[in-house]
Amino acid sequence: MAGKPRLYYFDGRGRMEAVRWLLAAAGVEFEEVLFETAEDLQNLSKGGKLMYKQVPMVEIDGMKMAQTRAILRYIAAKYSLYGKDLKEQVLYSNHFLHVYNALKDHGKNYLVGNQLSWADIHLLELILMVEECKSDALSAFPKLQEFKTRVSKLPRIQKFFQPGSARRPPMDEACLKAAKKIFKLEKGLFLKYSSTILVEL
Ligand code: GTS
């Protein structure tokens, strides 16, 4: 039997948080190797484990997977969170252009088809991050509020919200300092999916 997936990153959200969310939603237990220093990252890189000398890296099914989107796509497909066919899979990208209309118009519980998918997990994660910045961000969007309540109540998501889970808190000063040290950042941006700026350094 294959072992648990092993996630390599630092002890913060960054690009790995979406992977943690997706594995949690799939009900998959995983292990984490957390870097504390630039040397930790260099050693892994020198050992030939990092395809692009970058993390996130996830060891899963005998592979050392790099590139966040590829990792997410693999996990979603493996655990049936990717839409059941090509038509549902293409809806995923379309809905992120028109999430609100999608929820309003099709009258179903989930964004794609009528079952939980990667799209729902991604949206919930984004909603929660936006609310961390502005707590009343959903006040004019009742469908998004309903969506958030519905998906948050799923047992695996409830478990992910419990203290002690792999879910990471918002970046604080200490976490930023650690990331800067590991990745030798002087100045730059943490990006999510190359589009949503999480924090400016
Ligand atoms: N396109 C890659 C992905 O999406 O996974 C980018 C990965 C990336 O830039 N990783 C950074 C890294 O390993 C860390 S972080 O931005 O995710 O925090 N940097 C080290 C380096 O030497 O590039």
Side-chain angles (χ1 to χ4, degrees):
M1 211 174 88
K4 292 178 186 172
R6 185 173 293 161
L7 281 45
Y8 293 78
Y9 205 58
F10 73 98
D11 192 4
R13 286 184 180 176
R15 289 183 164 89
M16 192 61 104
E17 191 67 359
V19 177
R20 298 184 182 111
W21 266 94
L22 199 56
L23 286 168
V28 177
E29 288 184 18
F30 53 91
E31 294 168 355
E32 298 203 57
V33 176
L34 301 171
F35 306 135
E36 287 176 14
T37 64
E39 288 70 42
D40 293 340
L41 178 64
Q42 277 161 13
N43 289 340
L44 194 72
S45 196
K46 279 186 205 148
K49 279 195 168 189
L50 299 181
M51 195 184 290
Y52 300 105
K53 300 188 187 301
Q54 289 181 330
V55 288
M57 190 274 271
V58 175
E59 282 184 326
I60 184 169
D61 296 337
M63 293 178 288
K64 293 178 179 35
M65 293 196 74
Q67 296 296 332
T68 316
R69 296 291 292 190
I71 295 167
L72 290 169
R73 203 172 298 119
Y74 182 83
I75 294 168
K78 176 169 171 141
Y79 296 104
S80 305
L81 291 166
Y82 197 34
K84 70 176 185 318
D85 53 28
L86 280 174
K87 284 187 180 173
E88 285 195 1
Q89 287 162 18
V90 85
L91 278 175
Y92 172 81
S93 10
N94 287 339
H95 276 167
F96 276 93
L97 297 174
H98 303 289
V99 156
Y100 201 69
N101 286 345
L103 284 173
K104 206 168 64 179
D105 295 343
H106 76 6
K108 292 180 182 168
N109 283 347
Y110 300 107
L111 285 173
V112 173
N114 203 17
Q115 62 178 35
L116 186 74
S117 76
W118 174 21
D120 302 298
I121 302 304
H122 184 182
L123 178 58
L124 178 61
E125 188 194 351
L126 280 179
I127 287 174
L128 295 174
M129 280 195 292
V130 170
E131 284 187 327
E132 282 167 0
C133 301
K134 191 175 184 312
S135 57
D136 64 351
L138 294 195
S139 57
F141 303 101
K143 287 285 166 194
L144 283 181
Q145 291 173 31
E146 285 167 24
F147 171 87
K148 178 189 152 190
T149 307
R150 189 163 53 241
V151 180
S152 296
K153 278 187 184 156
L154 297 173
R156 287 172 180 170
I157 304 297
Q158 281 284 307
K159 200 171 161 198
F160 197 51
F161 288 151
Q162 296 304 310
S165 86
R167 187 174 178 224
R168 297 303 197 280
M171 285 263 203
D172 60 12
E173 279 301 319
C175 187
L176 266 182
K177 210 171 144 197
K180 277 174 150 179
K181 210 170 71 178
I182 295 166
F183 300 114
K184 297 188 173 161
L185 297 172
E186 290 304 321
K187 201 165 175 264
L189 298 174
F190 272 91
L191 301 180
K192 184 177 173 61
Y193 303 138
S194 307
S195 57
T196 313
I197 296 171
L198 292 185
V199 71
E200 204 165 339
L201 300 178

